[in-house]
């Protein structure tokens, strides 16, 4: 064990891991986080807290994680390179580790153009792969990016994202390899609706033996409505929603679409679980946290191993 | 103010070892200035690998450079690698005109203020002082990727377009295509480490 991360412990034990996701509020309301944390607690091994997802101003990931931690969750602080240069990023890495956060997910970040402050200046001093590398050197070498040494290193389980559905497809395995070389311990993928394409990517991953060097959590998410599916297909960059998914949701009466969306999610979980090299799932039920216990239960993934205290 | 500086020999040497070389040297901005002597020393050190050399003013001028490429066609044909001594714009122009050739720049661009608009052109150089074109098939991710990624393409590249705007081509898709064409896809495995932004006097 490199860290005190519950997620690392579950993965190292060879158990099929489940991570969830919590989006902080667009306000200073701590109760929103406590309410979501209570729903997720006991049903997942760790919970990602997003860092200004879609470039919308929300409560800071580290702050929301601290509140969720009080509710007993092991958090994965998401950290994007959009808003902070390497000086600020490293300061936050030290801070979250000192506050008892055990996991970090290093992301480049959604472009500021998509958010509620499109007039903002993006930073992108470093990218996600470089951030992984920086955090790994801080933890394992006790060194800052500039080479200076530190007395107490941040013990963080280091994650990165992978999108098997973006172009060019042939490069997607290479990009994963780079993230592993940079120091990623675990990977969470883009939401999977096209299981065949994900399986093809995993084949490329296994061909290079990458699944033995990193823990891969397959991203899944329930769809609430036909409109949401269509929106993701047409509008969300890097999302692959096959027509068959939309047809399946259209094939049930309107008042049952969300139920079908939950069933579809459970089906996808059981399909990706069969793929060699998949070490767990990352369940993203954003603003629909209440269905997480049902999905995890229906997928046969309860009870979760009791968390580290 | 130095417009460009010559890259360290050890950065270029592994890229060109035992290759036949053709050299483009741009003297257009020599007054602001171009380190002529250093460049000549560097070129002299290449010795027998050089099959030809063209010195011209304003390599950034596409049509003009195209004429030179035609004039030196037979030497260029013989060369496996084209070496460019110019700012980042000139290197990108040459690279775009010689799509089947490996084009490397031997310069880091520091300062182009007032010169970039000298001729109308489709390429930009951010004068970042640490030219990355040798690892990206001659296409600049600093100037043309919306997130200035050195390890792209990101997860938002789809159908050759940048996620930020359908009118913006994904330069990293273009880089992958170019490297594939040149048989250099292994270059994509290279880890682009955190960049030194402290080199350029303008950033």
């Amino acid at each position: 064990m490199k860290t005190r991360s519950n997620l690392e412990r579950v993965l190292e034990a060879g158990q099929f891991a489940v991570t969830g996701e919590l989006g902080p509020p667009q306000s200073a309301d701590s109760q929103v986080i406590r309410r979501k944390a209570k729903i997720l607690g006991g049903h997942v091994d760790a919970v990602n807290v997003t860092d200004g997802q879609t470039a919308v101003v929300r409560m800071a990931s580290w702050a929301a994680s601290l509140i969720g931690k009080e509710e007993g969750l092991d958090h994965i602080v998401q950290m994007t390179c959009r808003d902070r240069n390497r000086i600020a990023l490293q300061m936050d890495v030290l801070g979250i580790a000192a506050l008892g956060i055990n996991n970090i997910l290093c992301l480049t970040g959604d472009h500021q153009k998509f958010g509620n402050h499109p007039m903002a200046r993006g930073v992108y001093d470093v990218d996600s792969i470089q951030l992984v590398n920086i955090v790994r050197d801080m933890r394992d070498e006790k060194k800052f990016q500039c080479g200076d040494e530190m007395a107490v290193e941040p013990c963080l389980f280091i994650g990165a994202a992978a999108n098997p559905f973006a172009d060019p497809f042939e490069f997607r395995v290479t990009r994963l390899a780079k993230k592993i070389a940079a120091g990623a311990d675990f990977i969470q993928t883009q939401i999977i609706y096209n299981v065949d394409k994900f399986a093809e990517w995993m084949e490329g991953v296994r061909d290079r033996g990458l699944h033995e060097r990193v823990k891969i959590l397959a991203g899944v998410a329930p769809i609430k409505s036909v409109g949401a599916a269509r929106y993701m297909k047409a509008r969300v960059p890097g999302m692959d929603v096959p027509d068959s998914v939309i047809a399946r949701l259209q094939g049930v009466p309107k008042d049952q679409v969300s139920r079908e969306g939950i069933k579809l999610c459970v089906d996808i979980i059981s399909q990706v679980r069969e793929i060699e090299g998949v070490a767990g799932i990352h369940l993203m039920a954003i603003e629909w946290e209440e269905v997480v216990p049902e999905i995890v239960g229906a997928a046969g993934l309860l009870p979760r191993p009791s968390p580290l205290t | 103010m130095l417009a460009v500086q010559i890259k360290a020999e050890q950065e270029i040497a592994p890229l060109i070892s035992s290759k036949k070389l053709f050299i483009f040297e741009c003297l257009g901005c020599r007054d602001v200035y171009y380190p002529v002597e250093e460049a000549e020393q560097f070129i002299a050190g290449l010795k027998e690998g050089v099959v030809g050399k063209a010195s011209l003013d304003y390599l950034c001028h596409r049509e003009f450079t195209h004429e030179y490429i035609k004039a030196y066609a037979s030497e260029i044909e013989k060369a496996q690698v084209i070496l460019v001594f110019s700012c980042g714009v000139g290197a990108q122009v040459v690279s775009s005109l010689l799509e089947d050739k490996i084009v490397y720049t031997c310069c880091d661009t520091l300062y182009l203020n007032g010169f970039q608009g000298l001729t109308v052109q489709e390429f930009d150089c951010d004068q970042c002082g640490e030219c990355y074109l040798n690892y990206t098939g001659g296409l600049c991710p600093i100037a043309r990727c919306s997130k200035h990624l050195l390890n792209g393409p990101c997860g938002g590249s789809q159908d050759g377009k940048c996620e930020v705007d359908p009118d913006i081509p994904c330069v990293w898709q273009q880089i992958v295509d170019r490297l594939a064409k040149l048989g250099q896809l292994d270059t994509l495995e290279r880890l682009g480490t955190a960049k030194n932004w402290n080199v350029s006097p303008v950033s």
Side-chain angles (χ1 to χ4, degrees), chain A residues 86 108-109 111 113-114 124-127 129-130 145 163 165-168 171-172 174-175 178 208 237-238, chain B residues 146-147 149-155 157-159 163-165 173 176 188-195 197:
Chain A
R86 70 192 75 182
T108 300
H111 196 277
K113 190 192 157 163
F114 296 109
Y124 308 110
D125 172 27
V126 294
D127 63 27
I129 294 179
Q130 293 159 352
Q145 192 270 330
N163 184 1
F165 309 108
D167 288 329
F171 171 69
R172 292 295 142 193
T174 306
R175 186 161 167 86
K178 285 176 85 161
R208 290 183 62 163
Chain B
S146 299
K147 297 176 183 175
L149 298 182
L150 294 184
N151 291 293
C154 75
S157 175
Q158 209 132 45
D159 303 322
E163 65 175 16
V164 170
D165 192 308
Q173 173 74 60
V176 172
L188 292 173
E189 303 274 349
R190 186 179 188 276
L191 207 62
T193 50
K195 190 172 164 54
W197 296 106

Side-chain angles (χ1 to χ4, degrees), chain A residues 137-186:
Chain A
D137 286 352
M138 289 174 78
R139 184 190 66 193
D140 296 349
E141 312 286 333
K142 290 193 180 191
K143 278 188 177 161
F144 292 107
Q145 192 270 330
C146 63
D148 286 357
E149 292 189 14
M150 69 191 79
V152 179
E153 72 277 23
C155 280
L156 295 167
F157 194 46
I158 304 168
N163 184 1
F165 309 108
D167 288 329
F169 182 68
E170 318 76 61
F171 171 69
R172 292 295 142 193
V173 173
T174 306
R175 186 161 167 86
L176 175 70
K178 285 176 85 161
K179 292 194 172 184
I180 297 168
D185 300 311
F186 72 97

Side-chain angles (χ1 to χ4, degrees), chain A residues 115-307:
Chain A
N116 59 357
H117 293 73
M119 68 298 279
R121 178 163 185 165
V123 178
Y124 308 110
D125 172 27
V126 294
D127 63 27
S128 57
I129 294 179
Q130 293 159 352
L131 179 58
V132 166
N133 208 220
I134 288 169
V135 180
R136 197 262 307 265
D137 286 352
M138 289 174 78
R139 184 190 66 193
D140 296 349
E141 312 286 333
K142 290 193 180 191
K143 278 188 177 161
F144 292 107
Q145 192 270 330
C146 63
D148 286 357
E149 292 189 14
M150 69 191 79
V152 179
E153 72 277 23
C155 280
L156 295 167
F157 194 46
I158 304 168
N163 184 1
F165 309 108
D167 288 329
F169 182 68
E170 318 76 61
F171 171 69
R172 292 295 142 193
V173 173
T174 306
R175 186 161 167 86
L176 175 70
K178 285 176 85 161
K179 292 194 172 184
I180 297 168
D185 300 311
F186 72 97
I187 295 292
Q188 292 173 316
T189 77
Q190 172 68 288
I191 300 169
I192 300 158
Y193 292 112
N194 187 341
V195 179
D196 290 342
K197 191 149 187 193
F198 174 70
E200 194 185 337
W201 179 74
M202 280 302 299
E203 206 178 314
V205 170
R206 288 193 304 274
D207 285 348
R208 290 183 62 163
L210 299 177
H211 62 305
E212 286 161 356
R213 294 170 55 202
V214 76
K215 302 294 183 185
I216 297 170
L217 309 184
V220 293
I223 309 182
K224 238 176 188 172
S225 65
V226 175
R230 285 210 182 106
Y231 178 82
M232 282 192 283
K233 184 182 176 73
R235 298 269 169 189
V236 181
M239 283 285 295
D240 183 345
V241 184
D243 291 333
S244 59
V245 164
I246 293 168
R248 178 168 165 179
L249 296 175
Q250 280 173 327
V252 300
K254 216 170 183 179
D255 60 342
Q256 283 170 42
V257 171
S258 66
R259 301 284 343 142
E260 195 62 23
I262 291 168
K263 276 191 220 162
L264 172 74
C265 184
V266 173
D267 288 349
I268 291 173
I269 292 171
S270 59
Q271 287 169 38
V272 297
R273 225 182 144 175
E274 295 302 312
I275 299 171
E276 190 193 342
V278 174
I281 54 157
H282 175 47
L283 176 53
M284 290 168 266
I286 303 264
E287 302 307 324
W288 203 13
E289 289 81 5
E290 57 271 25
V291 299
V292 167
E294 180 188 346
I295 291 172
V296 180
L301 294 168
L302 289 179
R304 300 310 309 153
S306 48

Side-chain angles (χ1 to χ4, degrees), chain A residues 61-72:
Chain A
S61 176
W62 68 265
S65 293
L66 208 58
I67 297 166
K69 187 172 154 55
E70 288 172 5
E71 301 296 326

Side-chain angles (χ1 to χ4, degrees), chain B residues 125-139:
Chain B
C125 171
D126 274 6
Q127 310 142 70
C128 75
E130 222 182 26
C131 192
Y132 209 71
L133 291 172
N134 294 349
Y135 310 108
T136 55
L139 295 143

